[in-house]
Amino acid sequence: MPTATVYPHVLHGNVVRGWAMQGADTEEEVKVIAGDAPRARRTRLRMSVTTVRVPVTIGHSAAVWVELDTDAHPDDVRMLVARVRPGIVIVDDPAAQRTRCRGRSPAPMTSRWGGSARDTGTENGIALFFSADNLRKGAATNAVQVAELLLRDR
């Protein structure tokens, strides 16, 4: 069994809530809320965030639950996202369990979307799952792509 030398707990084989804490929240949770706060205020979006670290070599993933005003089928949500969000590749095939971060992709600067399903815990809810290879699609790539969109729409 490995021993902990830098981080206070053994990471191998574990999932941990976060590295650095800011009060009761992790540093990642604070960053997500701060980054999405302006959009949330404009849209009156209510959100809460929990982040966890899974010690893998490459990859970021997010599980997101949304409650819509009306009923929507997960297929409708997939089609909408494919149409309005360049940079997201739909690999959502629940039977094949295809969501993954790594591997060959025809479009390496993308996030992968998979695991869309009805959220049975709320009315009109949809549960979503995203993954990205954070060496190819991380903060720097996102910043460039946002700037490109801003310039294009200007």
Side-chain angles (χ1 to χ4, degrees):
M1 173 67 124
T3 58
T5 57
V6 176
Y7 185 72
H9 309 287
V10 174
L11 294 177
H12 177 74
N14 288 315
V15 175
V16 296
R17 182 156 173 252
W19 305 114
M21 300 299 289
Q22 293 185 7
D25 298 317
T26 68
E27 187 175 86
E28 281 294 311
E29 292 161 354
V30 171
K31 283 194 316 188
V32 169
I33 294 293
D36 286 334
R39 182 177 325 124
R41 281 193 297 273
R42 282 194 311 274
T43 61
R44 289 177 286 166
L45 176 69
R46 295 178 303 166
M47 72 170 69
S48 60
V49 177
T50 299
T51 63
V52 294
R53 296 281 181 158
V54 178
V56 295
T57 307
I58 297 170
H60 280 139
S61 295
V64 179
W65 291 264
V66 296
E67 185 175 0
L68 306 171
D69 289 334
T70 60
D71 185 39
H73 191 276
D75 289 341
D76 300 328
V77 175
R78 282 189 278 281
M79 288 186 339
L80 175 66
V81 169
R83 192 171 72 240
V84 300
R85 294 299 302 167
I88 294 180
V89 173
I90 309 284
V91 290
D92 195 356
D93 183 354
Q97 298 178 334
R98 292 190 56 204
T99 304
R100 67 195 187 289
C101 296
R102 296 178 68 181
R104 293 190 168 279
S105 170
M109 298 302 194
T110 61
S111 296
R112 292 182 174 92
W113 165 303
S116 302
R118 290 192 185 277
D119 174 7
T120 58
T122 186
E123 187 176 351
N124 302 326
I126 299 286
L128 314 167
F129 188 78
F130 305 89
S131 291
D133 176 334
N134 55 318
L135 293 181
R136 296 179 180 207
K137 175 75 169 160
T141 303
N142 285 337
V144 169
Q145 290 175 331
V146 166
E148 289 172 343
L149 288 172
L150 291 171
L151 289 172
R152 183 196 73 195
D153 293 343
R154 201 169 163 177

